[in-house]
Amino acid sequence: MASPTVGDVMTTEVIAVCEGTLVSEVARTMDGRRISALPVTDDRQRVVGVVSQADLLPRRMGSPLGWLSQTAWLRKASGRVAGDVMTSPATTITGDATVAEAARRMVRHGVKRLPVVDSSGRLAGIVSRVDLLRVFIRADDELRAEIEREVFERALGLPPGAVRAEVSDGEVTLTGEVDSESLIPVAESLTREVTGVVDVVSRLTRPLGDTHQAGTATSGLPHERRRGRP
């Protein structure tokens, strides 16, 4: 039940430009390929920046844009090659990073795609929001079956039917009885790791008389907690 990585979902056939590519050629490539941004690489194929449609706007505008300093606007407006107008350093990610980590990085930096680099910073692929979303689009019945089989029967060794996972649009509600109080957070954690799960509501109970976990919870009562994916 290993978490999917960027390397599992990235596109390896990447359209990139070098630092010396003329801006006019960059614009034609974007238009012809119907893409909004391109990685920029040096002569060793290391990612040194990204040039996007937003980076090309100053060439078409008569005054600085609010999100650019005067210096940056002048550089981009007068730039002749990709290295002049690109945004640098680029926000990148490695292939062994998890899909969840890639999603968080995109949100944090406000980007729709990330160049994927190897340990030397060389371009290895590109991952987009669409690539990440595909990982989480799974049928509820498929998720339910995997959780009950892999988490509760195989990982925790419970008999079939001891715990039921009800799934609606990726939200999982767990009901049933586990062997001890200490297994409840473990079950929740393992369930959250299943690809496609977006939220977990636990209504698991422990056997009567189990007092393994510290606290004053009453034996045999539901232990309800709601946990979302990080």
Side-chain angles (χ1 to χ4, degrees), residues 1-225:
M1 295 190 298
S3 298
T5 66
V6 170
D8 295 329
V9 300
M10 70 181 186
T11 298
T12 55
E13 296 181 2
V14 189
I15 301 169
V17 294
C18 64
E19 292 175 278
T21 302
L22 292 173
V23 170
S24 57
E25 180 61 27
V26 173
R28 281 194 295 269
T29 301
M30 285 184 182
D31 184 60
R33 298 285 186 166
R34 297 180 181 274
I35 50 181
S36 59
L38 293 168
V40 182
T41 59
D42 63 13
D43 56 2
R44 296 184 181 181
Q45 291 301 301
R46 293 175 302 189
V47 177
V48 294
V50 172
V51 59
S52 68
Q53 290 175 336
D55 291 316
L56 302 181
L57 282 177
R59 297 176 62 84
R60 303 182 175 93
M61 305 291 290
S63 58
L65 301 169
W67 46 271
L68 280 176
S69 67
Q70 179 77 19
T71 301
W73 180 83
L74 288 172
R75 175 174 57 82
K76 292 178 185 290
S78 60
R80 295 182 60 256
V81 297
D84 296 331
V85 302
M86 69 184 182
T87 296
S88 181
T91 301
T92 62
I93 199 160
T94 57
D96 58 357
T98 65
V99 165
E101 182 180 346
R104 287 193 293 269
R105 190 165 302 184
M106 285 184 186
V107 171
R108 188 183 313 123
H109 293 277
V111 296
K112 297 180 181 179
R113 60 189 56 77
L114 294 169
V116 184
V117 298
D118 64 15
S119 58
S120 299
R122 290 189 296 265
L123 184 64
I126 197 160
V127 64
S128 69
R129 288 182 182 179
V130 173
D131 296 325
L132 302 185
L133 285 172
R134 289 195 186 105
V135 173
F136 295 99
I137 300 175
R138 300 181 62 189
D140 289 341
D141 286 345
E142 179 186 353
L143 272 178
R144 176 192 56 76
E146 179 173 342
I147 292 166
E148 292 180 354
R149 180 183 65 252
E150 300 295 334
V151 173
F152 292 99
E153 294 178 25
R154 293 188 180 178
L156 299 182
L158 298 178
V163 171
R164 176 167 177 77
E166 299 178 2
V167 185
S168 177
D169 295 330
E171 180 178 289
V172 182
T173 301
L174 302 175
T175 56
E177 187 176 278
V178 295
D179 290 341
S180 69
E181 176 81 6
S182 62
L183 283 182
I184 292 176
V186 176
E188 295 171 358
S189 179
L190 291 175
T191 301
R192 287 196 299 275
E193 291 301 314
V194 175
T195 301
V197 172
V198 298
D199 197 14
V200 177
V201 177
S202 175
R203 293 174 180 159
L204 297 174
T205 61
R206 65 188 188 282
L208 291 172
D210 177 69
T211 57
H212 180 75
Q213 178 150 328
T216 57
T218 304
S219 177
L221 292 180
H223 184 96
E224 181 165 341
R225 294 196 294 183

